Amino acid sequence: QVQFVESGGGLVQPGGSLRLSCAASRNILIFYRMEWYRQAPGKQRELVASITRDTNTQYADSVKGRFTIFSDNAKNTVYLQMNSLKPEDTAVYYCHTSSVPNIWGQGTQVTVSS
């Protein structure tokens, strides 16, 4: 099993930046792909970004060019750098891996508002 602890969320003004962190309880290289999801109030959880073991990345169209996913394998941590934030980015952000689909962290709240 694995546990994920997300952090780094907060309140930020439109156009601002945040960096989210996801600390895993075990070596993330055992997982083929690590993912960031988000869930806004009243909406389904959606995939925001992913990174594979060989560092291939993918992004939702809504965040391309603004968000960057990267990892520090020595720290078993995956990051999500979020720039040019918009109010529609407001959501709870979760770390996940499709290798263990039933495991989710507690999430970290991101609120973009003036």
Side-chain angles (χ1 to χ4, degrees), residues 45-80:
R45 195 168 294 185
E46 64 172 343
L47 179 62
V48 175
S50 64
I51 183 167
T52 64
R53 188 182 299 147
D54 51 0
T55 68
N56 288 321
T57 58
Q58 289 188 316
Y59 299 92
D61 288 343
S62 58
V63 307
K64 278 181 183 176
R66 301 189 298 120
F67 290 11
T68 303
I69 186 171
F70 60 101
S71 63
D72 184 336
N73 296 328
K75 296 182 178 180
N76 295 328
T77 300
V78 180
Y79 301 93
L80 186 68

Side-chain angles (χ1 to χ4, degrees), residues 74-89:
K75 296 182 178 180
N76 295 328
T77 300
V78 180
Y79 301 93
L80 186 68
Q81 177 66 42
M82 306 187 297
N83 299 327
S84 302
L85 282 162
K86 304 175 180 180
E88 51 263 43
D89 296 318

Side-chain angles (χ1 to χ4, degrees), residues 2-112:
V2 62
Q3 292 181 326
F4 299 122
V5 179
E6 300 95 337
S7 62
L11 173 63
V12 63
Q13 292 187 341
S17 297
L18 284 174
R19 177 177 291 184
L20 306 184
S21 300
C22 167
S25 61
R26 59 186 306 181
N27 186 353
I28 59 175
L29 287 176
I30 68 172
F31 306 120
Y32 173 68
R33 190 175 80 167
M34 294 295 299
E35 302 144 351
W36 280 101
Y37 279 78
R38 68 184 180 188
Q39 187 167 20
K43 295 188 176 181
Q44 288 190 333
R45 195 168 294 185
E46 64 172 343
L47 179 62
V48 175
S50 64
I51 183 167
T52 64
R53 188 182 299 147
D54 51 0
T55 68
N56 288 321
T57 58
Q58 289 188 316
Y59 299 92
D61 288 343
S62 58
V63 307
K64 278 181 183 176
R66 301 189 298 120
F67 290 11
T68 303
I69 186 171
F70 60 101
S71 63
D72 184 336
N73 296 328
K75 296 182 178 180
N76 295 328
T77 300
V78 180
Y79 301 93
L80 186 68
Q81 177 66 42
M82 306 187 297
N83 299 327
S84 302
L85 282 162
K86 304 175 180 180
E88 51 263 43
D89 296 318
T90 296
V92 179
Y93 285 71
Y94 299 90
C95 184
H96 184 258
T97 176
S98 52
S99 299
V100 190
N102 59 322
I103 299 296
W104 296 88
Q106 84 288 350
T108 186
Q109 175 71 47
V110 172
T111 303
V112 185

